[in-house]
Amino acid sequence: MSPRAALIIVHILCTVLIGTEGIEFYPRDVPLDVRNLNPVTYKELVLAGIDTKGGKCFHVVKFYSSAGDVNLDPHFARSVRLRSYIIEAAAEFRNTAAVVSAIDWETKANRALFREQGIKRRHSLPVVKIFAPDGSSEVFTGKYDELVEYVKIQVQSYVKRNRRSLMPKLRHVVANTKVRAASTTSTTSTFESFMEKQGPGVIFAYEPKRGGEARVRAEQTAAALALNFHGKLRFAKTSDKKVVKLLDSGSGSNTIKMPVFFFIYEKYKKEEVEEGPKRGVPLKAVAAYPSASPSYESLQAWLVRFEAAAAAAAAAA
């Protein structure tokens, strides 16, 4: 049975079985990936724009009521209908830079949070709000089956708007002063300046006019990772062939295919970046992770290990 078919069955069962008594839409003893919020976790996670591990993230929050009759209460019927899509979104965003949660009107301690969001009556429910890491939020007004894709686009757009701090575009330094000046704008940095900075780094390399859906998925993954690891790892992206060639020489693969992630362990001096490869001395401590079919979860696991290894190396130095 496909995941989609299973969700449809869940929806049908909910419609048939849910009565007028308050029920727990997202049971705590069932791993549905939907976090049940309360005033404390709402403040600590949603308002802070972080996940339980401290990584920056988006929050998708369903404000709903767990009491009603689907045959008599159209507002409650919509909450029931939305339930399967929330579960589907939570499964899709598992271990990513988006967290799906729900908060129940029927828990009286939660009512103040509803009022803060301008929800004064249960008949206004359900409401889905998307909270960005910077504290901004918006009500999702699209079709339920478009929620997942919409959030992915919002994550990527957020990183693009904040790319100077989250994921600047790298260019290889050149002699031409005009191009050199262009490479020091708010959204672009030089490869050399990135390599000279202290701390482990990640460079996402791609071909801007090739790759199709694989490149789009890889870009979405890179954006989400840059957001989630902000403050822990430095991120950048590049389509500059000279930069990719330099990184490829250090990875030891020499057959790299884009899109790809490069992990930078060491801080380099400017002359090492500019002159070393010319003398046949490749950049050291550069690992490559091909991402033709990027999995956020597997890349995240790689980056957790990479961060730990880089920290251990720095401590031993």
Side-chain angles (χ1 to χ4, degrees):
M1 182 184 297
S2 68
R4 185 66 178 168
L7 288 170
I8 292 173
I9 292 175
V10 168
H11 165 61
I12 293 172
L13 288 174
C14 286
T15 304
V16 172
L17 297 177
I18 292 177
T20 57
E21 296 183 2
I23 58 103
E24 196 171 29
F25 264 46
Y26 307 101
R28 291 169 176 79
D29 58 346
V30 179
L32 290 174
D33 304 307
V34 181
R35 173 176 290 275
N36 290 281
L37 292 173
N38 57 49
V40 174
T41 53
Y42 178 83
K43 181 179 180 179
E44 292 178 346
L45 301 175
V46 178
L47 296 186
I50 60 174
D51 58 23
T52 55
K53 297 179 181 178
K56 290 287 186 180
C57 70
F58 273 70
H59 283 273
V60 180
V61 181
K62 175 188 176 183
F63 295 83
Y64 76 105
S65 169
S66 62
D69 188 321
V70 292
N71 298 311
L72 301 176
D73 186 346
H75 307 286
F76 180 68
R78 282 200 295 272
S79 270
V80 174
R81 189 164 63 251
L82 176 58
R83 181 178 185 272
S84 61
Y85 293 100
I86 289 295
I87 293 173
E88 182 180 23
E92 177 73 20
F93 291 130
R94 185 186 300 137
N95 296 319
T96 72
V99 176
V100 179
S101 307
I103 187 164
D104 188 3
W105 170 277
E106 301 307 320
T107 302
K108 291 184 179 180
N110 295 338
R111 299 281 175 86
L113 299 180
F114 282 77
R115 289 192 292 271
E116 286 178 12
Q117 296 301 320
I119 304 170
K120 300 178 180 179
R121 300 183 305 160
R122 67 182 298 276
H123 294 298
S124 303
L125 304 172
V127 172
V128 175
K129 294 200 72 172
I130 301 170
F131 295 81
D134 61 5
S136 61
S137 64
E138 63 173 306
V139 175
F140 176 71
T141 58
K143 296 179 180 179
Y144 292 161
D145 60 358
E146 296 174 349
L147 177 60
V148 169
E149 202 56 39
Y150 182 82
V151 174
K152 287 182 179 179
I153 292 173
Q154 295 311 300
V155 171
Q156 195 168 10
S157 298
Y158 180 87
V159 173
K160 187 175 182 180
R161 291 195 305 274
N162 297 278
R163 57 188 177 272
R164 181 177 184 179
S165 61
L166 292 176
M167 194 166 64
K169 188 174 182 179
L170 300 183
R171 299 181 67 173
H172 185 50
V173 71
V174 292
N176 188 301
T177 54
K178 291 183 178 180
V179 179
R180 184 186 293 271
S183 67
T184 57
T185 64
S186 61
T187 60
T188 308
S189 298
T190 65
F191 172 58
E192 290 74 11
S193 66
F194 183 87
M195 298 293 280
E196 289 172 18
K197 292 180 180 178
Q198 189 68 46
V202 180
I203 298 178
F204 170 63
Y206 64 99
E207 292 187 85
K209 297 182 180 180
R210 296 182 182 180
E213 292 184 7
R215 178 181 59 79
V216 172
R217 287 197 303 271
E219 283 188 298
Q220 290 177 339
T221 299
L225 288 166
L227 174 61
N228 199 232
F229 281 86
H230 181 56
K232 302 175 183 178
L233 296 172
R234 297 179 300 116
F235 270 78
K237 65 178 182 178
T238 188
S239 59
D240 190 309
K241 293 182 179 179
K242 291 182 179 179
V243 171
V244 175
K245 186 175 181 180
L246 288 171
L247 292 170
D248 194 11
S249 69
S251 71
S253 65
N254 297 316
T255 57
I256 211 69
K257 292 183 179 180
M258 293 188 282
V260 64
F261 289 83
F262 290 101
F263 302 158
I264 316 300
Y265 288 88
E266 297 181 356
K267 174 183 177 181
Y268 289 88
K269 295 179 181 179
K270 185 175 182 180
E271 56 269 22
E272 290 178 317
V273 178
E274 294 181 344
E275 303 298 329
K278 294 179 182 179
R279 300 195 304 269
V281 180
L283 299 176
K284 297 178 293 184
V286 177
Y289 186 101
S291 56
S293 299
S295 162
Y296 184 100
E297 191 168 1
S298 61
L299 271 167
Q300 186 189 48
W302 264 69
L303 290 176
V304 168
R305 293 195 297 270
F306 168 56
E307 181 188 5

